[in-house]
Structure formats: C-alpha cells, structure tokens
Amino acid sequence: MNFKIPEFPSLQFGSIYCIGRNYAEHIKEMKSSQTASPVVFLKPRSSLIFNNGAITIPEDSENVHHEVELVLLIGNECRNVSKDSANKAVLAIAVGIDLTARDIQTEAKKKGLPWALAKGFDTFAPVGNFIAVDHSVDLQNLEISLSVNGNLRQKGNTSNMIFPVTDIISYLSHRFTLYPGDLIFTGTPEGVSRIKPGDKIQAQIGNHLSTLTVHVQA
Ligand code: MG
C-alpha cells in the first residue's frame, strides 16, 4: 500500500491515534462512563481507506458501527507540547469514520482486554479529503454529520468534545512523540449504528470542508 498523503505528497501516513468517550451523549448511548483523562487506542495504517473506498465487514463480527469523527493531521514533530501551543501541531483536518466491531468490543470490555481487534480491521479507518487549517479555523466549532443511504444518523458539533483538540494533543505528546503524518481521531458524537453490506455512507465536517463517501462491500 502507498501511504503517501495525496494533499501533502511530502508526507506519509504514520501512527493512527484515537480518542474514545469524548462526547457526553455518546457515552450515554453506550451506557458507559466519563473518564478523568482521555481514553486512547490505536489503529494500524492498514485500516485506512479513502473516498469511494469499500468497507469490508469482517467474518467474525455481526455488528459493525459507524462513528463519525474529526480527524487531525499532525504537521510537525512534537513532544511535551502545552495546551497553549498544541494547535500549531495541526496541519490539516478531515472527516473520518472510526469503524467499530461493537460485538467484539463489548466482549473485550467485559474481559478487560484491549480494543485493537474491534477497531483495527482492514478498511476500518476511512478518511475524507484533508483541508489545511490556518489558525483562524475554530476546531471546536465544526458541524459534523454522517448519513447512511441518505438517512441522517449522526449530527454533532466539535464544541461538545469533553477533551478539546488542544488537550488531546498535549496529552498524547506527553506520552508519545508525534510525527508529521500521524493522525488523531478525536471521538464520536451520538447516533452510532450498525452498517450492512450494500450501504452507502456519507460523512462531512465543517459545512462540507471535508467530505467522505464510502460503501459497504456486499
Ligand atoms: Mg470512536
């Protein structure tokens, strides 16, 4: 696979960090509880797909959910950045979907096991086009939505994040060195639901700044 980022050809996709439980209404629908610090997990690069790509439902799951999210593209190497300077690390944003095998995740949660298997299958990280951000864009006031076969399933605003982008970047960078090309999925608002073979999924962020259309392989 070619990991070059089309909009930034000098960069390659790197690590894919993801934040869980970052919107109160999603925590409620999952009957989950809020945490004092961000919930962090990772996906492998092999889970990436792009506009017009196809999601494959894995054989070992009968309940794959969409989770629409703001995705950050890191533009410079950073370690131990403060919340005040964290925004400078963001080169671009995109809309993305954190696909989740909910049945596998539920089992993992029960057993206290990691989420890698539930979150990391091939095709489980679709991302839309990347839009460079100048720092007049307010990352904490972006509309985000997702529809399946034309029916709106998720609609939220990044203003409802529990841990804003600056907190997430600062928190991660105190534990992992972030590199140009790394992605951060920042959590999903409410409305997650099951996808089925043949579904057409459309997502967008920031009044169509970044858009994504993918389908589920029949
Ligand atoms: Mg998620």
Side-chain angles (χ1 to χ4, degrees):
M1 185 171 174
N2 172 14
F3 289 108
K4 216 174 254 186
I5 304 177
E7 295 87 349
F8 303 95
S10 65
L11 290 184
Q12 293 212 342
F13 288 110
S15 298
I16 305 173
Y17 299 97
C18 304
I19 302 299
R21 301 186 193 178
N22 204 20
Y23 288 79
E25 291 300 316
H26 173 60
I27 293 173
K28 246 188 240 171
E29 75 180 348
M30 295 303 299
K31 299 186 171 61
S32 212
S33 51
Q34 206 168 312
T35 53
S37 41
V39 173
V40 179
F41 60 95
L42 288 92
K43 290 181 189 258
R45 285 197 299 186
S46 47
S47 61
L48 285 168
I49 58 167
F50 308 100
N51 256 310
N52 304 314
I55 296 164
T56 304
I57 307 270
E59 276 176 16
D60 26 357
S61 176
E62 302 201 323
N63 192 15
V64 174
H65 277 190
H66 54 77
E67 297 187 355
V68 70
E69 309 198 359
L70 165 65
V71 178
L72 312 171
L73 172 63
I74 296 298
N76 34 23
E77 183 173 332
C78 51
R79 178 150 185 84
N80 297 334
V81 298
S82 68
K83 292 177 185 179
D84 286 345
S85 57
N87 261 337
K88 288 188 215 131
V90 182
L91 174 63
I93 59 166
V95 67
I97 307 172
D98 167 20
L99 287 165
T100 304
R102 197 67 76 198
D103 42 3
I104 297 175
Q105 186 196 33
T106 303
E107 275 307 299
K109 280 180 177 171
K110 271 190 216 156
K111 295 176 180 161
L113 294 172
W115 298 358
L117 290 177
K119 297 281 197 176
F121 286 100
D122 281 1
T123 76
F124 266 33
V127 289
N129 58 297
F130 284 91
I131 292 292
V133 286
D134 68 33
H135 296 289
S136 64
V137 175
D138 183 357
L139 298 181
Q140 298 310 146
N141 187 20
L142 296 169
E143 292 267 351
I144 185 165
S145 63
L146 178 143
S147 64
V148 179
N149 304 325
N151 301 313
L152 188 65
R153 298 263 187 97
Q154 291 190 268
K155 185 174 166 43
N157 191 293
T158 58
S159 60
N160 293 320
M161 285 184 186
I162 295 167
F163 299 103
V165 165
T166 50
D167 287 33
I168 293 170
I169 292 171
S170 178
Y171 185 85
L172 289 175
S173 77
H174 280 79
R175 288 153 182 87
F176 315 101
T177 302
L178 301 178
Y179 290 100
D182 285 353
L183 298 181
I184 304 172
F185 282 66
T186 57
T188 193
E190 72 275 19
V192 301
S193 68
R194 185 180 175 190
I195 58 170
K196 301 182 308 302
D199 282 347
K200 179 185 182 188
I201 303 175
Q202 290 169 296
Q204 66 86 30
I205 195 163
N207 204 9
H208 299 272
L209 265 183
S210 173
T211 60
L212 174 63
T213 301
V214 286
H215 66 274
V216 186
Q217 211 149 47

